[in-house]
Amino acid sequence: VGFKSDLPCVKACGIINCIPDTLYSLVLDSSRVKEYNTMSISRTDEHVFASSLADGVTKVMRSLTKPPIVPKPIELLTILHSRKLNEDKGEGRGWLCVSRAVRGKADAEALSENHISGTEMLLGVNIIQELDAGDGVSRTKFTTVTKVFTPGVPLFLARRFGPKSSAQYICNIRNALA
């Protein structure tokens, strides 16, 4: 069995009324994260390795989040890589965003001194695909998959809170783009 395989992996899908590029721009824009992530305190881009909406982005971000079931804010240092979906290979028109977040030993000590909880996002995937219903309305199928390890959160709470949080995330994105 793999590392932290007992933790829930949560998948949620929803339809967003916009073109894929609009949704992609929203989820990558750190200055707009509070528009759809109600638990976010802040997110900053630490380093951007490639930044072309046309080609994809690779960047390191630092974020501070306060989920309701965790007593202290959680800090994540996340590497995110995105690329366009390959239409020629049948992936459709849109974007794939993959992320992983960890904290180093120095971060853990600083977090402890500042009363901030550390966590690991073992996997984060967003698939943003154009959806053609044949009616001329621009729609995007948004699929999000997350697997997070937060020390101190009982497994039964993680299993209960994860799916609700992912569904709410999609609703919040719809509202941010309305």
Side-chain angles (χ1 to χ4, degrees):
V1 193
F3 177 70
K4 298 294 179 194
S5 60
D6 58 327
L7 297 173
C9 187
V10 179
K11 176 183 174 184
C13 296
I15 307 301
I16 312 291
N17 290 325
C18 68
I19 62 171
D21 291 353
T22 300
L23 178 52
Y24 175 71
S25 295
L26 176 69
V27 297
L28 260 67
D29 187 344
S30 290
S31 70
R32 296 186 64 193
V33 72
K34 290 183 181 184
E35 292 179 37
Y36 59 88
N37 185 342
T38 57
M39 296 180 281
S40 179
I41 296 169
S42 66
R43 186 175 88 188
T44 55
D45 295 342
E46 296 283 311
H47 187 79
V48 179
F49 296 97
S51 62
S52 166
L53 186 61
D55 300 324
V57 173
T58 301
K59 63 182 181 173
V60 176
M61 304 171 294
R62 186 173 302 271
S63 62
L64 193 58
T65 305
K66 177 61 179 84
I69 62 172
V70 179
K72 302 176 193 174
I74 297 170
E75 184 172 61
L76 292 171
L77 188 60
T78 304
I79 185 160
L80 175 135
H81 175 73
S82 67
R83 68 162 176 83
K84 271 193 166 185
L85 295 177
N86 190 329
E87 292 182 68
D88 295 336
K89 292 186 178 180
E91 295 176 345
R93 185 179 166 286
W95 298 92
L96 172 69
C97 306
V98 179
S99 55
R100 171 85 163 97
V102 295
R103 60 185 172 105
K105 188 176 181 180
D107 281 342
E109 291 167 3
L111 292 173
S112 178
E113 289 172 10
N114 292 314
H115 306 289
I116 297 172
S117 251
T119 194
E120 283 186 70
M121 182 173 54
L122 303 172
L123 173 69
V125 176
N126 289 330
I127 303 169
I128 300 167
Q129 293 175 295
E130 182 177 61
L131 184 64
D132 186 2
D135 59 3
V137 177
S138 296
R139 292 187 183 95
T140 297
K141 179 181 176 186
F142 181 61
T143 305
T144 182
V145 178
T146 54
K147 185 167 184 147
V148 178
F149 170 59
T150 304
V153 174
L155 193 53
F156 79 93
L157 280 178
R159 286 188 175 135
R160 185 173 167 204
F161 184 71
K164 289 180 183 179
S165 179
S166 292
Q168 187 61 51
Y169 178 67
I170 291 174
C171 288
N172 293 345
I173 285 177
R174 278 191 195 113
N175 292 337
L177 292 172

